[in-house]
Amino acid sequence: MNTQLPQGRSPALPVLAASLWMASVGNAPLWRELDALGVLSGRSGWLLAFSMAGVLAAALFALLSLLAWRPLLKPAIAFLLAATAFGAYFMWTFRVVIDNSMATNTLQTDWHEARALLTPQLALVVAVGWLLPAWLVWRRPIAYGPWKSRALRNTGAAAAGLLVAAALILLSFQPLASTMRNHKHVRFLLNPLNSLYAFGHSAIGEKRRPPGVVPLGTDAKLMAAAGKPPLLVVVLGETARSGNFGINGYGRDTTPELARAGVATFRNAWSCGTSTAASVPCMFSNLGRAAFAGRERDSENLLDVLQHAGLAVLWLDNQPGGCKGVCDRVPTVNVSTEKDPQLCAGGECLDGILLKGLDQRIESLPADRRARGVVLVMHQMGSHGPAYSLRSPPAFKRFQPECASSHLPDCDVAAVRNAYDNTIAYTDHVLASTIAWLRGRADYDTAMLYVSDHGESLGENNLYLHGLPYAIAPDVQKRVPWITWLSPGFEQRAGVTTACLRGRADGEISHDHLFHSVLGLLRVGTAAYSRGLDAYAGCAAP
Ligand SMILES: [Zn+2]
């Protein structure tokens, strides 16, 4: 039997070519970052870059060699080229890195939200970085030979790849190790291994916890209080950064309506995560940031506890991506696909849609629960990027010129900031309109609490969007607005005054406080409540 492979048709060549392409061009964001960190200067710098590219190429070569079987190899190369091209585009354009939380967030993003990311630049990267090299590989006939010799050759090639990688690591161990130690985020730039690791880890992590949820706060009871039943609106903000709110001291008056509405603001509030998928479930949990990440089981959340206490709960959502599991056991309405000609003209709805027909929505909740009180959660589209200009209607585009592109580096930083500030100006209006509606509900003692899920980078240090690993994310991605409005009746029943809250505007709080603060405000008694984590407790009678 002839085991000789025809000349030039061995899989080794396309495997090597694809590996070199991904390790070099595909890692442009890595080289840019290393250059910016100043570690590429001089001869030792170039040696380091050469070693890193070599290690990457050798590792990819080893991986692909193991997959060098007839039905596998070409799809595997095409897949890795795609992961490399998409990863490189997003890391290059938005200066993000690809880690577990970014992967979880991406897996939970729906197509509707992702449309804004489809830009001509992305199309170009896909064509040149993925489709063209994939086509070159695909059209090339490859002779694999009999399976026994194939297995031998694949194992040998993979071993050779790993040996080369190990030798390069040893050769440049000192600079390599110190770079990885001093700049921990660099590991999340190693394309496409970062995506393989993060998406794999994220998919396994979802499976690791047993299905189902552990009950929480089943002992919850409304404590007796004078006055009418409470009606609390919790507005869950999106991508709003604390520092861009006029009432928090921003140089621009982005929040004139809230300033007139008599609210109290906590200016020193910190998020649980830097993305929606990381923050939202954590915010409504009783565990707090540290314990939530390491939880063994999923358990019920704030909304379940409020229901156990007999309150009527309704989740209104203007995000196509929904509530990330938080509202699974409470009545939910997603308004993001409404057909309102004014508010939903572009296929997505402005947040004003959340306020339409609120009275009827309240009426539709069970009467016996309504008699005890109502909690309405409104999940905003808020300042969701990168298409900030879609989040505000013309009347609120006060800051001009505004960036209208989803490819943010196309615009100068000032125009990006203008577009973003217009979204805050519109959120100001939505929140003030919510308060106006609450003032009109004379049948309840009313209150509003507004907290955003995370902040945003707007081009500072050339960073955009959000989602950097918490430990290295800049503060602007982690500082969130936390704004409270209490009607006089609600102040009485909660025993908390706006004046007292204003005196505590700079006290440090975080999303860890949300669960306990809402229970405290509504005077819900349960063993799950912790007074030490109630942001309002310092202003409440014990
Ligand atoms: Zn978010």
Side-chain angles (χ1 to χ4, degrees):
M1 196 165 64
N2 178 21
T3 55
Q4 196 65 40
L5 294 177
Q7 204 60 30
R9 302 176 78 194
S10 149
L13 191 64
V15 164
L16 182 65
S19 302
L20 288 173
W21 167 261
M22 290 186 279
S24 56
V25 182
N27 272 280
L30 172 67
W31 312 130
R32 181 183 63 179
E33 182 66 12
L34 290 176
D35 185 40
L37 292 171
V39 295
L40 287 190
S41 57
R43 232 171 67 108
S44 61
W46 286 108
L47 202 67
L48 175 72
F50 176 80
S51 302
M52 281 181 90
V55 171
L56 268 172
L60 289 166
F61 181 85
L63 175 67
L64 283 172
S65 293
L66 290 177
L67 301 173
W69 298 92
R70 184 178 299 287
L72 274 181
L73 183 62
K74 287 182 177 179
I77 291 179
F79 174 78
L80 280 186
L81 286 169
T84 306
F86 281 100
Y89 173 77
F90 289 108
M91 289 190 287
W92 182 273
T93 306
F94 301 114
R95 300 250 178 177
V96 295
V97 301
I98 298 175
D99 70 336
N100 298 338
S101 81
M102 179 66 82
T104 308
N105 220 29
T106 308
L107 291 172
Q108 293 183 5
T109 300
D110 77 349
W111 176 242
H112 205 76
E113 273 178 73
R115 269 191 327 191
L117 297 170
L118 305 180
T119 59
Q121 290 87 345
L122 176 60
L124 184 71
V125 170
V126 164
V128 177
W130 175 26
L131 298 178
L132 177 68
W135 176 73
L136 289 174
V137 169
W138 207 274
R139 63 194 275 272
R140 178 189 167 86
I142 295 177
Y144 292 90
W147 74 268
K148 271 187 190 157
S149 75
R150 185 74 265 145
L152 214 61
R153 284 165 196 271
N154 287 359
T155 316
L162 291 178
L163 268 176
V164 170
L168 285 169
I169 289 175
L170 281 178
L171 207 69
S172 56
F173 188 76
Q174 202 56 42
L176 206 58
S178 82
T179 302
M180 294 311 231
R181 201 170 42 240
N182 296 334
H183 312 287
K184 290 199 184 342
H185 65 294
V186 164
R187 73 191 61 179
F188 301 116
L189 289 166
L190 300 173
N191 203 18
L193 302 178
N194 54 355
S195 295
L196 291 187
Y197 179 81
F199 281 90
H201 191 273
S202 174
I204 293 164
E206 291 303 308
K207 298 253 169 2
R208 185 174 55 87
R209 278 186 289 278
V213 290
V214 181
L216 176 72
T218 47
D219 61 335
K221 286 209 167 43
L222 273 173
M223 290 185 273
K228 301 172 223 168
L231 166 55
L232 171 68
V233 175
V234 177
V235 182
L236 173 54
E238 175 60 60
T239 317
R241 51 189 241 179
S242 177
N244 286 54
F245 279 61
I247 53 168
N248 287 346
Y250 188 39
R252 287 175 161 180
D253 191 10
T254 48
T255 53
E257 296 190 46
L258 280 173
R260 286 194 298 271
V263 300
T265 178
F266 289 148
R267 289 187 288 243
N268 195 7
W270 296 79
S271 71
C272 179
T274 63
S275 67
T276 307
S279 271
V280 172
C282 177
M283 293 170 77
F284 286 85
S285 152
N286 64 320
L287 297 175
R289 194 170 87 81
F292 187 79
R295 70 198 185 284
E296 297 284 326
R297 298 282 313 264
D298 280 316
S299 68
E300 290 185 343
N301 60 54
L302 175 63
L303 304 182
D304 300 293
V305 179
L306 297 172
Q307 273 197 159
H308 294 323
L311 294 163
V313 178
L314 175 63
W315 181 285
L316 270 183
D317 212 312
N318 189 31
Q319 285 201 21
C323 69
K324 312 295 179 197
V326 167
C327 63
D328 283 356
R329 293 163 299 280
V330 303
T332 302
V333 180
N334 194 305
V335 296
S336 69
T337 51
E338 299 270 293
K339 298 279 178 278
D340 187 282
Q342 260 96 51
L343 294 165
C344 308
E348 293 174 323
C349 295
L350 291 162
D351 281 330
I353 195 71
L354 289 163
L355 298 164
K356 276 199 77 176
L358 275 186
D359 292 311
Q360 293 91 300
R361 295 200 194 279
I362 301 286
E363 292 313 309
S364 72
L365 299 169
D368 56 327
R369 286 181 174 273
R370 268 190 286 140
R372 289 185 211 108
V374 178
V375 178
L376 175 60
V377 183
M378 302 200 304
H379 190 197
Q380 284 188 294
M381 200 59 173
S383 306
H384 197 297
Y388 304 122
S389 64
L390 300 181
R391 307 287 166 247
S392 61
F396 292 87
K397 296 191 183 299
R398 289 180 205 140
F399 306 103
Q400 292 291 343
E402 73 161 11
C403 175
S405 169
S406 288
H407 187 253
L408 297 178
D410 279 354
C411 301
D412 60 47
V413 173
V416 171
R417 179 173 291 262
N418 287 339
Y420 182 84
D421 284 346
N422 290 332
T423 70
I424 303 296
Y426 182 55
T427 286
D428 175 56
H429 176 68
V430 169
L431 296 177
S433 304
T434 305
I435 292 170
W437 172 72
L438 286 171
R439 285 188 207 275
R441 291 294 310 219
D443 44 345
Y444 290 97
D445 284 332
T446 56
M448 184 198 76
L449 166 57
Y450 164 72
V451 185
S452 181
D453 61 346
H454 51 77
E456 186 85 322
S457 282
L458 293 172
E460 298 91 355
N461 299 317
N462 285 313
L463 289 171
Y464 290 95
L465 305 182
H466 53 264
L468 278 185
Y470 202 86
I472 61 168
D475 287 353
V476 286
Q477 294 190 17
K478 297 190 282 200
R479 274 189 96 142
V480 288
W482 182 309
I483 293 165
T484 313
W485 174 82
L486 308 173
S487 66
F490 199 100
E491 284 189 328
Q492 279 210 323
R493 78 182 314 282
V496 174
T497 66
T498 304
C500 175
L501 296 180
R502 284 186 181 149
R504 296 171 164 262
D506 293 309
E508 183 174 335
I509 57 167
S510 75
H511 280 162
D512 289 10
H513 290 79
L514 184 67
F515 177 94
H516 308 277
S517 301
V518 169
L519 293 182
L521 269 186
L522 289 166
R523 298 182 61 85
V524 171
T526 162
Y529 169 76
S530 163
R531 191 176 162 87
L533 288 169
D534 179 347
Y536 302 104
C539 285

